[in-house]
Structure formats: C-alpha cells, structure tokens
Amino acid sequence: MKIFALFGNPTGHSLSPLMHNAAFSKMGIDARYVPFCVENLEDAVKGIRGLNICGVSVTIPFKTAVMKYLDELDDSALKIGAVNTIVNDGGRLTGRNTDWIGLSIALKKSIKIDKKTFAILGAGGAARAAVYAVLMEGGTPIILNRTAEKGRKLAGEFGCKFYHIDDIGKIKADCLINTTPVGMSPDTGKSPVESAILTNFRCVMDMIYNPLRTKLLEDAEKAGCTVLSGLDMFVHQGAEQIKMWTGMEPPREFMRQVVLEKLMAS
Ligand code: NAP
C-alpha cells in the first residue's frame, strides 16, 4: 500500500483526507492519505524518506517553513515562496505548488484572465499564489492588504500596484479575489469589505470554501456580480497533487461531489 500524508497543525478541519482517500479508492489505487498534526517539521520531513511516504500535502502554518528542508523546489514554489505539495522521488524531495494551478483552473471556468484586472485582498501565502496565477495567465493583479508593509513588499516582488484595504473604494477591476480568512467558519457573519463597493467588480471570488456562500459572496450576488467559492480551487489543487504523485488523471467531478456533500451536511 502507498502512503500519502498531510502535514499541518492543526489538521482536524481539513477535508483533504476525505477527498484524497475517495479519489484513490475511485482510481483503484491501493493507497491511504493520512493527516499528521506536525510537532517538529524537520523531523517530519525526515520521516517522509524514512517511512517512504510517496507524497505530502503541506498546509498552514508550514507552507513556507518547509522549503528549507527539501532537496529541490520547482519554479512556481520558488517564485510564490510557498510549498503545498512534496513529491518523493526515491528519497529526493521536491517542493511544488498547486494552489496557483487550482485557482487558475477554477477562475478560467468563469472568467477570462488574460488582459483582465484582479484586485487581490490579502498578502499571505494564498495571495502570493493568486498573484502568480494571474500573472502567468496574462492578467494584472492589484494587491490590497491591511498591513501596508507586507502588501507593499509583495507588490514590489511581483511588480504590481498596492493599495491599503481601506482604499478599496478607489479600485475598479474585472474580479475581486478574497484571500483573507475573514468570513470563514465559524466567523461566518463577517465580510472583509463593505458591500457598497462590490458594484466596482464584475466577478467576486472567495478562496474560502467553508461556508460555500460567505457573507462576501452573498453581498456580491446582491450587487449583481458573478460569484465563485473556493471549492473548485480546493478540488483542483488537490487533483493536481494526485496527478503529480501518480501520473494519473484523478476524477475531479467525483472529488468535488464528495467535498460538496460533506460541506452541505455540516
Ligand atoms: P495567511 O498567510 O495567514 O494570510 C492571511 C492574509 O489575510 C494576510 O495578508 C492578512 O493580513 C489577511 N487578514 C487576516 N485577517 C484579516 C482581517 N481581519 N482583516 C483584513 N485582512 C486580514 O493565510 P493564507 O495561507 O494566505 O490563507 C488565507 C485563506 O485562503 C484561508 O482562509 C485559507 O483557507 C484560504 N485558502 C484556500 C485555498 C483553496 O484551495 N480554496 C487554498 C489556500 C488557502 P495582514 O498581512 O494584515 O496580517
């Protein structure tokens, strides 16, 4: 049996074990995907080699910290500055990033990215993946963040504009992407922005997928925007991991259904 793992702390909330195990089973692969609440990251990475774990998903708070323990980093992981996927090739560990691919696939289903403008709320790991995805597809990202220093640094690295989040009323863009955790369960009554400014965007995407309809998306729908939850991004980032680990195309629609059913039941 092949073993795959999730490294995070905490990991109890994650739907990745459910989604990945369902996918492996549907694909007829004899594998288990196990969540580990990591206490010591360096030792955990050594354990990948020691236990011959075939692949690992990395989540909060280790996406950046894990980079220094790996043998190699692919171009996207290096530029984004975060790893969410480790591939174990005979003991040689490569850090990769599928968050940006997941976002890119999810966005392209609903909106053209090329030559369009994307206002990105936040300047953490998810925002970095979003900026990279938009640039890779020929779009223009604009960063908005609460902590000006962090936002300016990110904007400087990728050569884009920065505004303080309080100045969002000044921005008009094709799409607004929320990468902050504001509105995530259990704090579901909150939105990162005032509803009045949402008419400045044609499309609004929330990276949050629990709940599926955040306050931001409810407000955006009322304002006439096309809305997108983080569910499709989550499914595609996970599907891309399985593709990297096995070389096989995973059952994406089935994976989406499994996660959707779980979210609807909770
Ligand atoms: P992170 O590195 O901690 O960054 C969070 C960002 O949100 C920071 O820029 C922070 O601003 C901002 N923020 C936090 N609380 C805020 C508040 N009350 N008001 C305004 N801004 C606030 O986290 P991350 O790894 O980027 O993840 C962010 C979110 O994306 C999480 O909800 C995560 O679940 C989601 N995500 C979803 C997917 C998916 O597949 N759908 C994938 C990855 C991440 P400061 O700089 O001012 O602190």
Side-chain angles (χ1 to χ4, degrees):
M1 181 190 286
K2 288 186 159 63
I3 299 294
F4 297 88
L6 170 68
F7 285 1
N9 189 345
T11 54
H13 65 284
S14 175
L15 295 179
S16 294
L18 174 80
M19 179 171 77
H20 280 90
N21 282 317
F24 286 136
S25 172
K26 184 88 171 167
M27 292 165 83
I29 297 174
D30 187 18
R32 288 287 178 282
Y33 179 98
V34 188
F36 288 100
C37 187
V38 170
E39 297 292 339
N40 182 310
L41 183 60
E42 187 174 6
D43 288 349
V45 173
K46 284 180 188 158
I48 302 174
R49 297 189 191 89
L51 299 168
N52 194 23
I53 295 172
C54 302
V56 176
S57 310
V58 183
T59 188
I60 290 174
F62 300 125
K63 286 186 182 182
T64 299
V66 79
M67 295 171 77
K68 65 171 180 275
Y69 301 121
L70 304 175
D71 301 311
E72 204 177 319
L73 297 167
D74 79 1
D75 202 43
S76 63
L78 264 176
K79 292 223 172 79
I80 294 167
V83 161
N84 79 327
T85 310
I86 300 171
V87 180
N88 181 359
D89 185 7
R92 187 168 176 77
L93 305 183
T94 303
R96 308 187 66 169
N97 189 304
T98 66
D99 280 336
W100 79 271
I101 312 175
L103 175 63
S104 177
I105 296 172
L107 276 180
K108 281 194 285 186
K109 279 187 182 176
S110 301
I111 184 173
K112 199 168 154 269
I113 303 179
D114 189 30
K115 299 190 176 60
K116 303 290 180 198
T117 309
F118 292 76
I120 296 168
L121 285 182
R128 298 181 70 87
V131 170
Y132 184 79
V134 168
L135 285 171
M136 288 299 282
E137 298 293 341
T140 305
I142 300 169
I143 320 280
L144 294 123
N145 198 45
R146 176 181 61 177
T147 306
E149 196 187 335
K150 209 165 139 192
R152 252 189 224 108
K153 184 173 175 294
L154 171 57
E157 262 177 66
F158 285 94
C160 42
K161 285 189 181 153
F162 165 75
Y163 292 83
H164 192 273
I165 197 166
D166 292 346
D167 291 331
I168 191 164
K170 296 177 184 166
I171 310 289
K172 269 193 194 326
D174 294 288
C175 183
L176 173 71
I177 303 178
N178 176 40
T179 80
T180 79
V182 181
M184 189 159 67
S185 178
D187 268 337
T188 52
K190 294 184 183 158
S191 168
V193 295
E194 295 288 331
S195 57
I197 60 94
L198 292 169
T199 47
N200 287 344
F201 306 96
R202 269 199 310 124
C203 174
V204 175
M205 182 199 171
D206 203 328
M207 278 204 190
I208 295 169
Y209 55 86
N210 189 10
L212 285 167
R213 272 172 64 84
T214 55
K215 169 126 186 2
L216 171 65
L217 293 189
E218 274 176 11
D219 290 347
E221 213 163 48
K222 283 184 200 148
C225 310
T226 302
V227 297
L228 277 172
S229 87
L231 175 65
D232 282 352
M233 173 181 174
F234 176 68
V235 169
H236 290 296
Q237 63 78 31
E240 291 295 319
Q241 293 184 322
I242 292 180
K243 213 163 124 182
M244 284 172 183
W245 294 330
T246 67
M248 290 163 71
E249 176 57 30
R252 293 173 194 248
E253 194 42 50
F254 172 75
M255 292 162 71
R256 185 179 194 280
Q257 207 51 42
V258 168
V259 177
L260 188 61
E261 271 168 27
K262 178 71 183 174
L263 288 170
M264 302 286 255
S266 59

